[in-house]
């Protein structure tokens, strides 16, 4: 399975920036919504657009699934019109053919599509016949281009349940190129047994997945944790069935905060993919901390043992989750001293978790003045150590916002000395100033005078500060 992010959730970012952000947050796939502003399918330069897109996908090693749910691409006044169930459906069919061509060009895993909203001027039987007939044309074209289709049931549309979608597939004799796209949030509204059951029941018929949260009352895509989707059970089902397609986060109303939403979403997915016993331990520990904040000291140190059966960064994920829970749900006057204790009494792994938790809390705007002051003190301490992980973490989202400029500059230079990539520095281009430029120029001069090579990051930083100095003049 490749976890992705939908470009319709990054509508305020140019496509190149959107792809960079998706990769930066750890996603390995992108759900590419065809339409403005990212891919203009009817423009004369489509070939050039796709050439640049292929290069970016290769650069970031992103798998792509093609989505066709742009709201006003075909009709600037009527959302999702015309659709496959409208009388004048030819523009939709032609668009889907073009989307299939784009998918073939990009090597996409599938093209996702839906039926459209029911119309009142034809009876359901006639509408179904029209849908099947038109979908047959699309399937035939996809088969000739060797592209898989994912037919998505959607609340309020003519086909809104998995059972209805499978019925349409059977009406077409279950063509091999026609599978199902499942939105796990939609399942809260349309699938009584839940998304995880639908995933298991669909088996190999499932070719594409949309990830979001939702409540039963309204078709609105929500961030994880704000609805009734059991994300852990969903990820267990996807992993358990061997799903090998793209599972992409789809939050089209969250573009205004896309960088933070993408980050929070990936963190939620990473937590949800931990073993169920590990997730239970984290949930129990978080609940205990809500009741008794000082319990975090004991739970923090015990995380390594509790996560021993999980692979990767499970202990780090757990500790960061506990710290962000503490910050979000405890009075600031209590949080500050506890953060200090966790850092002072912790080993290097625990200190790293404190720094990462501070970063996430800062980016989400949850830190009060007492916790911030404590965070600055321990972040400055981290910059004095020789553990490159801690130095890098100290220059993340918290350090970028709260460290003094003098301290921050020296931290950046320390990363260069330690040969830690400057990609670890959050917001580098926004804080780099002429004084930092002078420091890096001196460093480069000393290296060259000694006949030593100059790290690429040092040269990049010099170029960045030189450009900013020129603009300042």
């Amino acid at each position: 399975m490749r976890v992705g992010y939908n470009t319709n959730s990054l509508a305020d970012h140019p496509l190149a920036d959107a792809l960079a952000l998706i990769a930066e947050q750890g996603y390995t796939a992108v759900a590419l919504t065809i339409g403005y502003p990212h891919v203009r399918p009817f423009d004369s330069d489509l070939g050039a657009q796709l050439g640049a897109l292929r290069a970016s996908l290769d650069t970031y090693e992103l798998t792509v699934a093609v989505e066709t749910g742009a709201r006003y691409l075909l009709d600037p006044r009527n959302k999702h019109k015309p659709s496959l169930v409208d009388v004048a459906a030819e523009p939709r069919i032609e668009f889907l053919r073009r989307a299939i061509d784009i998918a073939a060009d990009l090597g996409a895993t599938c093209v996702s599509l839906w039926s459209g909203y029911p119309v009142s001027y034809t009876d359901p039987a006639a509408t179904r016949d029209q849908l099947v007939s038109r979908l047959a044309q699309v399937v035939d074209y996809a088969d000739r281009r060797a592209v898989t289709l994912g037919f998505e049931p959607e609340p309020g549309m003519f086909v809104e349940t998995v059972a209805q979608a499978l019925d349409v597939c059977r009406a077409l004799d279950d063509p091999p190129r026609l599978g199902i796209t499942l939105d796990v949030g939609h399942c809260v509204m349309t699938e009584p047994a839940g998304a995880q059951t639908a995933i298991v029941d669909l088996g190999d018929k499932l070719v594409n997945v949309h990830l979001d949260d939702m409540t039963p009352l309204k078709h609105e895509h929500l961030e994880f944790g704000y609805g009734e989707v059991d994300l852990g059970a969903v990820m267990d089902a996807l992993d358990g069935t061997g799903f090998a397609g793209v599972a992409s986060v789809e939050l089209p109303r969250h573009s205004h905060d896309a960088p933070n939403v993408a980050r929070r979403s990936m963190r939620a997915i990473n937590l949800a993919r931990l073993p169920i016993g590990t997730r239970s331990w984290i949930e129990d520990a978080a609940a205990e901390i809500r009741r008794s904040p000082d319990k975090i000291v004991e739970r923090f140190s015990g995380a390594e043992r509790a996560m021993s059966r999980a692979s990767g960064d499970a202990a780090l994920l757990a500790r960061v989750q506990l710290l962000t829970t503490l910050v979000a749900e405890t009075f600031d006057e209590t949080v500050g001293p506890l953060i200090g204790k966790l850092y002072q009494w912790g080993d290097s792994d625990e200190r790293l978790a404190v720094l990462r938790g501070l970063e996430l809390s800062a980016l989400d705007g949850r830190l009060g003045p007492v916790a911030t002051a404590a965070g600055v003190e321990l972040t400055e301490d981290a910059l004095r150590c020789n553990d490159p992980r801690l130095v890098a973490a100290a220059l993340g989202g918290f350090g970028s916002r709260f460290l003094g400029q003098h301290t921050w500059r020296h931290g950046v230079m320390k990363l260069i000395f330690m040969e830690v990539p400057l990609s670890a520095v959050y917001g580098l281009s926004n804080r780099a100033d002429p004084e930092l430029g002078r420091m890096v120029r001196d460093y480069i001069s000393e290296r060259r005078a000694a006949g030593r090579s100059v790290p690429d990051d040092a040269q990049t930083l010099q170029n960045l500060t030189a450009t900013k100095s020129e603009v300042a003049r």
Side-chain angles (χ1 to χ4, degrees), residues 80-130:
H80 294 326
K81 293 288 187 176
S83 72
L84 290 175
V85 297
D86 286 309
V87 170
E90 186 55 39
R92 175 65 56 177
I93 295 170
E94 179 55 34
F95 167 57
L96 292 173
R97 290 191 185 108
R98 185 156 298 208
I100 289 166
D101 288 338
I102 291 171
D105 190 295
L106 297 176
T109 58
C110 72
V111 171
S112 186
L113 70 161
W114 29 244
S115 62
Y117 294 101
V119 293
S120 58
Y121 44 78
T122 58
D123 66 82
T127 299
R128 182 181 181 278
D129 289 344
Q130 282 187 331

Side-chain angles (χ1 to χ4, degrees), residues 185-386:
H186 295 171
C187 292
V188 174
M189 301 187 73
T190 61
E191 306 298 325
Q196 55 270 34
T197 299
I199 290 166
V200 173
D201 290 347
L202 283 168
D204 292 342
K205 197 70 175 174
L206 182 64
V207 298
N208 191 42
V209 174
H210 297 163
L211 300 171
D212 56 275
D213 213 337
M214 200 167 289
T215 71
L217 303 177
K218 186 177 182 182
H219 181 190
E220 181 178 357
H221 292 227
L222 304 173
E223 283 192 66
F224 301 122
Y226 288 86
E228 297 187 12
V229 169
D230 185 340
L231 185 60
V234 165
M235 301 312 291
D236 287 344
L238 290 171
D239 287 331
T241 57
F243 175 70
V246 172
S248 57
V249 176
E250 186 182 24
L251 295 167
R253 298 186 181 185
H254 291 69
S255 291
H256 66 284
D257 193 29
N260 288 322
V261 174
R263 170 181 51 78
R264 288 193 293 265
S265 298
M266 178 51 79
R267 178 168 154 239
I269 290 168
N270 286 336
L271 285 166
R273 298 190 77 176
L274 293 173
I276 187 169
T278 301
R279 299 199 304 265
S280 296
W281 184 91
I282 295 172
E283 290 167 3
D284 291 345
E288 186 176 27
I289 290 164
R290 291 185 187 99
R291 294 190 300 269
S292 303
D294 59 336
K295 289 291 185 180
I296 194 171
V297 176
E298 176 185 341
R299 289 291 198 165
F300 221 69
S301 61
E304 188 74 41
R305 188 182 312 109
M307 302 295 117
S308 60
R309 294 186 179 181
S311 59
D313 294 329
L316 177 61
L317 281 169
R319 286 169 172 150
V320 169
Q321 180 68 7
L322 298 186
L323 191 139
T324 54
T325 298
L326 175 76
V327 171
E329 305 195 30
T330 307
F331 289 117
D332 181 45
E333 293 78 4
T334 302
V335 172
L338 285 174
I339 289 175
K341 288 180 181 179
L342 293 175
Y343 183 86
Q344 292 162 11
W345 297 350
D347 60 21
S348 59
D349 288 339
E350 291 169 55
R351 290 184 171 194
L352 177 63
V354 172
L355 294 168
R356 293 297 186 202
L358 279 173
E359 174 178 35
L360 297 183
S361 297
L363 293 175
D364 287 336
R366 293 188 177 275
L367 290 171
V370 176
T372 299
V376 168
E377 183 176 339
L378 61 88
T379 300
E380 290 175 344
D381 179 82
L383 288 175
R384 292 190 288 269
C385 80
N386 292 316

Side-chain angles (χ1 to χ4, degrees), residues 17 48 71 73 75 79 134 141 146 154 211 265 277 398:
D17 291 343
R71 294 186 178 101
L73 179 65
D75 185 331
K79 177 182 173 182
R134 289 157 175 177
Y141 191 78
E154 181 145 350
L211 300 171
S265 298
F398 179 88

Side-chain angles (χ1 to χ4, degrees), residues 396-460:
F398 179 88
S400 174
R401 294 192 176 196
F402 298 114
L403 285 175
Q405 190 71 358
H406 174 81
T407 302
W408 180 84
R409 287 192 207 104
H410 282 272
V412 173
M413 291 305 301
K414 186 166 185 174
L415 286 185
I416 290 177
F417 279 108
M418 299 176 86
E419 298 186 357
V420 175
L422 290 185
S423 57
V425 182
Y426 186 91
L428 175 63
S429 62
N430 296 324
R431 288 197 67 171
D433 60 7
E435 176 59 18
L436 181 59
R438 181 198 63 76
M439 294 166 71
V440 75
R441 283 196 305 275
D442 289 349
Y443 167 80
I444 290 173
S445 296
E446 291 173 6
R447 298 277 296 190
R448 287 175 174 163
R452 302 175 68 186
S453 62
V454 175
D456 290 342
D457 270 354
Q459 191 63 61
T460 299

